[in-house]
Amino acid sequence: MAIRKTMLSLAVLSLPITAAVAQEANPDRYSLERSEGGFVRLDRQTGAVTLCTEADGTLTCRMAADERAAYDADLARLEKRVEALESQIAGAMPGKSGDMPSDAEIDRSIGIMERFMRAFFNLVQEFQGEEQRSEPERIPDRT
């Protein structure tokens, strides 16, 4: 039973390493060492340390504290960048920051649409008139 559990643990532990090797094609990139609370995985390329624990045959890994701090700092930087881009976009749009357009802007838009519709319907009437003038006179069918 102990041998079976050890074999299962080794198989579970080899999965992240196998995936890393397959992705990076560098078998020496990761190092896995047993620690008090489980395992420590070291990425020899980046220096990232991941703490892993085994429970019920499942290996769960989480970032180390210093790595988490770097992750949080990067996340905060990206959030500030997104906020800056959103405010830049909002500033470039008419009726800034989601405000309703003014009455003058609405009247101007309606005026533009009215002129467009009048011009369109004038063209339609003009084409209909030309079509009626160009049709030959039809003789009723008396059969």
Side-chain angles (χ1 to χ4, degrees), residues 67-136:
E67 209 175 309
R68 180 67 189 199
Y71 172 79
D72 288 340
D74 198 32
L75 184 61
R77 181 187 60 81
L78 290 172
E79 285 174 350
K80 286 179 185 175
R81 186 173 175 196
V82 167
E83 288 173 9
L85 289 171
E86 286 175 345
S87 65
Q88 185 179 11
I89 289 170
M93 296 175 66
K96 298 173 181 119
S97 69
D99 292 341
M100 296 297 290
S102 68
D103 288 342
E105 291 173 324
I106 291 172
D107 290 342
R108 181 173 181 266
S109 298
I110 290 173
I112 292 170
M113 289 302 296
E114 285 176 350
R115 286 195 305 268
F116 171 78
M117 294 302 284
R118 282 191 190 117
F120 177 74
F121 284 119
N122 286 340
L123 284 173
V124 169
Q125 288 175 350
E126 191 176 309
F127 285 131
Q128 286 176 342
E130 286 179 13
E131 190 176 288
Q132 288 174 354
R133 285 188 295 250
S134 65
E135 286 182 9

Side-chain angles (χ1 to χ4, degrees), residues 28-87:
D28 297 323
R29 179 173 178 178
Y30 294 97
S31 155
L32 195 63
E33 297 290 328
R34 185 172 278 285
S35 70
E36 273 183 33
F39 299 91
V40 175
R41 185 180 75 170
L42 171 66
D43 184 341
R44 291 182 179 154
Q45 265 185 353
T46 64
V49 176
T50 307
L51 303 175
C52 304
T53 57
E54 181 187 3
D56 300 326
T58 302
L59 190 64
T60 306
C61 299
R62 68 182 205 290
M63 289 183 260
D66 59 339
E67 209 175 309
R68 180 67 189 199
Y71 172 79
D72 288 340
D74 198 32
L75 184 61
R77 181 187 60 81
L78 290 172
E79 285 174 350
K80 286 179 185 175
R81 186 173 175 196
V82 167
E83 288 173 9
L85 289 171
E86 286 175 345
S87 65

